């Protein structure tokens, strides 16, 4: 039986890859699509309130990673800060803004979940089939 690594090597060596500027253009297209779809949350923003709440939650946890980095650094050096940006007023404002935005978003998600609870709307709830308060595994 062949090893998986030799199989992957064989597949990779026989694949047809574009060369030159066409591969660079393909990479540029894919990168642009990723930025628009993922970073911009394009599809989720079509849902207005839940989309905005998701946008702020995703970017909030991304931005708030700076506070985790600084907290971890201060375990080893009391006056630790991220070089170049760690003591900036704008960073403190952005962190505070996103902390508040994430908190508001989580409240919005809670309200949406309660309002659309499967126990109230049964099958018309978008949460139908998710956790209904049962304990243990689903067995028939």
């Amino acid at each position: 039986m062949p090893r998986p690594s030799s199989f992957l090597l064989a597949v990779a060596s026989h694949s047809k890859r574009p060369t030159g500027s066409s591969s660079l253009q393909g990479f540029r297209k894919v990168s642009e699509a990723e930025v628009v779809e993922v970073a911009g949350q394009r599809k989720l923003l079509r849902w207005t309130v839940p989309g905005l709440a998701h946008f702020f939650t995703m970017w909030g946890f991304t931005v708030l990673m700076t506070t985790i980095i600084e907290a971890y650094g201060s375990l080893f050096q009391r006056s630790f800060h991220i070089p170049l940006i760690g003591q900036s007023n704008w960073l403190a404002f952005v962190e505070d803004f996103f902390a508040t935005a994430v908190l508001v978003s989580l409240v919005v998600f809670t309200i949406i979940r309660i309002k659309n609870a499967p126990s109230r709307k049964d099958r018309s709830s978008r949460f139908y089939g998710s956790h209904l308060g049962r304990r243990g595994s689903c067995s028939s």
Side-chain angles (χ1 to χ4, degrees):
M1 176 174 232
R3 292 190 330 227
S5 59
S6 60
F7 171 75
L8 293 175
L9 183 62
V11 169
S13 64
H14 293 303
S15 66
K16 295 179 181 176
R17 296 182 203 168
T19 58
S21 65
S22 65
S23 68
L24 184 60
Q25 287 175 345
F27 176 75
R28 189 175 294 137
K29 252 185 189 178
V30 169
S31 300
E32 185 178 306
E34 285 296 315
V35 168
V36 169
E37 294 295 328
V38 176
Q41 301 286 298
R42 185 173 154 203
K43 287 184 181 179
L44 286 172
L45 287 175
R46 292 180 189 160
W47 290 355
T48 23
V49 174
L52 279 173
H54 190 277
F55 175 85
F56 284 124
T57 303
M58 186 211 111
W59 278 107
F61 282 110
T62 304
V63 167
L64 293 174
M65 183 62 76
T66 57
T67 60
I68 294 170
I69 292 168
E70 288 193 339
Y72 188 74
S74 18
L75 289 173
F76 303 102
Q77 181 184 3
R78 190 169 180 86
S79 62
F80 178 82
H81 63 275
I82 298 172
L84 301 175
I85 63 169
Q87 294 180 328
S88 303
N89 289 334
W90 66 266
L91 179 61
F93 172 77
V94 169
E95 289 171 343
D96 289 346
F97 171 78
F98 275 101
T100 305
V102 168
L103 180 63
V104 169
S105 296
L106 293 176
V107 169
V108 167
F109 288 139
T110 303
I111 292 168
I112 290 170
R113 176 64 187 211
I114 291 169
K115 183 179 156 201
N116 295 319
S119 60
R120 288 188 178 167
K121 292 189 165 186
D122 200 32
R123 288 186 178 267
S124 64
S125 170
R126 65 184 296 238
F127 301 109
Y128 183 79
S130 65
H131 182 9
L132 294 174
R134 291 185 221 132
R135 296 184 190 265
S137 63
C138 296
S139 57
S140 304

